[in-house]
Amino acid sequence: MKAIILSAGQGKRLMPLTEDRPKCLIDLSGRTLLEWQIRGLAAAGVTEAVIVTGFRADRVEEALAAMDVPGITTRTLYNPFYALADNTASCWVARAEMEGPFLILNGDTLFEPEIARRLLAGARKPITVTIDAKDGYDADDMKVRTDADGNLQQIGKTLPLEIVNGESIGFLCFTAEGGKRFAAEVERTLRTPEGLRRWYLSVIDTIAKADGSVGTVSIQGLEWGEMDFPADVDSNRALTAGWTGRGIG
């Protein structure tokens, strides 16, 4: 199993922490966010991670070279459009990697290893999205609407709250069929005038509405975090400190 990690962005909302390093290299309890991701993937049996880089790609490469995580190999792909386009372009750069089963992981998603295990065990559709649920959702949450069987109906930040029953954490599993469908839709999207401004999860939304081939796996009750704002750094450090104390990761 291969994982593609989308880590091309700088994370400007985290300045000055990200003035000279991408947010995937912010320290969390003695390890970078990227190392926590690599270790979590390896613990779930993933044997290869392909990291799509952009801002300060050299620093990411240096960090990977110094990283020693048994059972998993790492390599990078450079996205030269990272400053001009949203993360659909990173998926386009990695489209040749989308053969056979694989995972896509947002570069700013922190997760405990059990989340990766649950995703791999529960993926039944050509494309499967991990989702969590909570009492309320804010403007920055990637909201989802699913049907009673867990099939994805819609995904996006601007969904009306009255139809929302979860949020995507930015961690997906693809079969060979699903990867082929996704790569083709990414290619089609980037040929449109608005393509460079599209999130890759908007591509997933298009596929879900078109053919119902997108399922979900709930990770409710498991621990994860995002790295978008300064407050997230403190909460993620507290989260990883707890994992360190319990021997997780």
Side-chain angles (χ1 to χ4, degrees), residues 12 37 40-41 58 113 130 147 157 191 199 214 217 239:
K12 291 183 178 179
Q37 291 180 319
L41 292 168
D58 57 322
T130 49
D147 64 17
K157 290 190 175 184
R191 289 173 179 263
W199 290 312
V214 185
V217 166
L239 187 63

Side-chain angles (χ1 to χ4, degrees), residues 93-145:
V93 167
R95 67 196 183 283
E97 304 291 339
M98 298 177 184
E99 296 181 355
F102 64 94
L103 306 172
I104 285 182
L105 173 64
N106 288 2
D108 59 0
T109 297
L110 177 69
F111 64 94
E112 65 168 300
E114 185 57 31
I115 288 178
R117 297 188 190 103
R118 188 174 293 185
L119 173 58
L120 290 169
R124 296 288 181 267
K125 290 277 194 169
I127 302 171
T128 303
V129 179
T130 49
I131 62 171
D132 199 2
K134 57 186 180 182
D135 293 334
Y137 301 91
D138 61 38
D140 206 55
D141 290 333
M142 186 59 71
K143 304 166 202 61
V144 303
R145 178 172 73 91

Side-chain angles (χ1 to χ4, degrees), residues 71-194:
I72 189 169
T73 62
T74 62
R75 54 191 172 89
T76 62
L77 290 174
Y78 181 67
N79 173 9
F81 316 111
Y82 73 90
L84 305 172
D86 220 306
N87 55 22
T88 298
S90 285
C91 292
W92 184 83
V93 167
R95 67 196 183 283
E97 304 291 339
M98 298 177 184
E99 296 181 355
F102 64 94
L103 306 172
I104 285 182
L105 173 64
N106 288 2
D108 59 0
T109 297
L110 177 69
F111 64 94
E112 65 168 300
E114 185 57 31
I115 288 178
R117 297 188 190 103
R118 188 174 293 185
L119 173 58
L120 290 169
R124 296 288 181 267
K125 290 277 194 169
I127 302 171
T128 303
V129 179
T130 49
I131 62 171
D132 199 2
K134 57 186 180 182
D135 293 334
Y137 301 91
D138 61 38
D140 206 55
D141 290 333
M142 186 59 71
K143 304 166 202 61
V144 303
R145 178 172 73 91
T146 65
D147 64 17
D149 296 320
N151 298 307
L152 187 73
Q153 303 293 294
Q154 292 176 266
I155 183 169
K157 290 190 175 184
T158 60
L159 297 187
L161 292 179
E162 60 268 21
I163 70 169
V164 171
N165 55 4
E167 67 172 317
S168 165
I169 76 164
F171 200 2
L172 294 81
C173 184
F174 297 78
T175 65
E177 173 193 354
K180 183 177 180 180
R181 175 78 174 87
F182 177 66
E185 191 62 32
V186 165
E187 181 83 25
R188 189 202 66 78
T189 297
L190 286 180
R191 289 173 179 263
T192 65
E194 72 279 5

